[in-house]
Amino acid sequence: MTDKNNYSYTESYSGLKTRNWRCSDRYCRAMITTSKSTEALVGTDLPEHNHGNSLLRNKARETEAEVIQRYENVHRATTAAVLQDISNTIASFKFPSSIK
């Protein structure tokens, strides 16, 4: 099972009306419960995880590839210059409140 934030879970217990799921990362203590009849999340809050998620990791890899492609033919584009350009862009960008 995967939640809306792209964290994956493994079923850990199945009761009469609910299923309990734990994070697929065995070192993470995040757990959720779903209803057997509707398969909906019981409660409204998703748990905090002590690790990143695959969606963020995959997006970072895509972005990294785009940056490398963008600068590969730029004369004298050093690593330091590219990182400074990225840093300046990020510093001036207005992130949604959830990304702070």
Side-chain angles (χ1 to χ4, degrees):
M1 162 182 234
T2 303
D3 70 18
K4 69 180 183 178
N5 295 326
N6 217 41
Y7 285 103
S8 61
Y9 298 85
T10 302
E11 186 174 343
S12 63
Y13 173 78
S14 185
L16 292 174
K17 295 183 178 183
T18 61
R19 283 190 179 97
N20 292 343
W21 305 80
R22 64 170 182 77
C23 181
S24 296
D25 180 332
R26 64 183 176 152
Y27 299 106
C28 180
R29 293 184 173 185
M31 296 183 77
I32 60 171
T33 301
T34 57
S35 167
K36 276 188 165 180
S37 61
T38 64
E39 296 187 12
L41 183 67
V42 174
T44 58
D45 296 331
L46 290 173
E48 293 284 328
H49 292 260
N50 64 4
H51 57 91
N53 67 39
S54 58
L55 178 64
L56 185 60
R57 207 168 25 255
N58 291 342
K59 189 61 178 172
R61 285 188 189 122
E62 288 174 19
T63 303
E64 181 182 64
E66 290 169 9
V67 168
I68 291 169
Q69 185 177 19
R70 177 179 171 192
Y71 287 97
E72 70 182 350
N73 294 321
V74 175
H75 183 65
R76 295 186 182 195
T78 64
T79 301
V82 171
L83 291 174
Q84 185 62 50
D85 185 36
I86 292 169
S87 178
N88 291 340
T89 301
I90 289 173
S92 65
F93 187 77
K94 301 285 188 236
F95 284 103
S97 60
S98 62
I99 298 182
K100 293 179 182 179

